[in-house]
Amino acid sequence: MDKTMDNYWSLNLADLREQLENNGFDVYMAATLDDARTIVIDEMLPALAPKTVSWGGSVTLAASGLYDYLRDCPDFEALDTWDKALSLEEKYELRRKALLVDCFFAGTNAVTRDGRLVNLDMYGNRTGAITFGPRNVVLLVGRNKVVPDLERAMERVKEYVAPVNTMRLKMKTPCVKTGYCMDCSSPDRICNVWTITEKSFPKGRIKIVLINSDEGF
């Protein structure tokens, strides 16, 4: 069954790659999360040669081991917005500075089969960085993020991604108790900033690693 699913997704991800490349994204294919990590370290970083890097919230980035690698690598300066030793004010300022790094890493909440990225943020630093600022953006995208269209993408984010992340982050929102979006007004609300990225501009600025496994939320 595993090979059947892998074969199914290999065909679908190949089609998605074509759509994304038609929309100006650079696309890399990875069979596993470990492969994605290797692609970033051995291919992408040497080619981009960044002097500064940072990242937005991404369970996939953490699971890949890339957060630890990027944080500790001596080849560039890392703006660590996940540093638990920082105060909220310090993290906020670092997120602002991260909008001007050479390479920004993140994931995406959903990607449609016609090659559009759909994201929803609390602060807007991740969506902002994907949109403009960093010279290059690298997104790690598991096959579970693929949806048919924009309607399903937004449904996925509001009805699954947001509640799961509020639970993960231990936020005080109604969806933590209900398991689905209540369109709340809580101070901890993480559903504040939508972005739909139809194309990468300039062409190739946003680079996507499509992973043939379920990764992140």
Side-chain angles (χ1 to χ4, degrees), residues 22-216:
N22 288 340
N23 288 343
F25 301 95
D26 283 351
V27 182
Y28 299 75
M29 306 294 283
T32 66
L33 189 58
D34 285 343
D35 290 339
R37 181 179 187 275
T38 298
I39 288 170
V40 170
I41 294 174
D42 293 349
E43 296 182 39
M44 303 179 78
L45 286 173
L48 296 174
K51 294 182 180 178
T52 53
V53 302
S54 193
W55 40 81
S58 170
V59 171
T60 305
L61 182 70
S64 70
L66 279 169
Y67 164 65
D68 295 323
Y69 177 85
L70 295 169
R71 180 195 61 199
D72 298 335
C73 183
D75 296 337
F76 39 72
E77 178 188 1
L79 279 63
D80 186 4
T81 56
W82 295 1
D83 187 347
K84 294 181 180 179
L86 299 178
S87 67
L88 289 176
E89 292 77 12
E90 289 170 327
K91 286 182 180 179
Y92 187 82
E93 287 303 309
L94 206 56
R95 288 185 180 115
R96 293 179 63 243
K97 292 178 181 178
L99 296 175
L100 293 177
V101 296
D102 292 328
C103 193
F104 186 89
F105 291 83
T108 190
N109 296 140
V111 54
T112 64
R113 289 189 180 274
D114 61 356
R116 291 181 281 183
L117 309 178
V118 180
N119 286 284
L120 181 61
D121 253 9
M122 181 177 189
Y123 291 97
N125 60 300
R126 180 177 61 99
T127 52
I130 292 172
T131 302
F132 182 77
R135 296 184 187 279
N136 295 282
V137 174
V138 175
L139 305 179
L140 303 180
V141 182
R143 67 192 187 187
N144 52 311
K145 306 297 183 72
V146 181
V147 295
D149 51 38
L150 284 177
E151 182 178 357
R152 290 287 294 275
M154 298 180 84
E155 180 181 290
R156 180 183 194 278
V157 176
K158 290 288 280 188
E159 299 302 325
Y160 172 68
V161 179
V164 169
N165 273 305
T166 55
M167 294 174 188
R168 176 178 67 88
L169 298 169
K170 296 180 173 57
M171 301 301 240
K172 296 178 181 178
T173 57
C175 62
V176 170
K177 296 181 179 180
T178 65
Y180 55 88
C181 178
M182 301 293 290
D183 194 21
C184 72
S185 298
S186 167
D188 280 357
R189 176 186 170 111
I190 66 172
C191 301
N192 296 322
V193 183
W194 282 102
T195 58
I196 299 172
T197 309
E198 302 227 354
K199 295 184 183 293
S200 174
F201 183 83
K203 182 178 180 180
R205 173 182 171 268
I206 300 176
K207 304 162 200 317
I208 298 174
V209 184
L210 290 178
I211 309 168
N212 193 2
S213 58
D214 294 346
E215 303 296 342

Side-chain angles (χ1 to χ4, degrees), residues 4-15 29 143 212:
T4 299
M5 291 303 297
D6 288 346
N7 290 336
Y8 167 84
W9 277 110
S10 291
L11 296 172
N12 279 270
L13 292 178
D15 289 342
M29 306 294 283
R143 67 192 187 187
N212 193 2

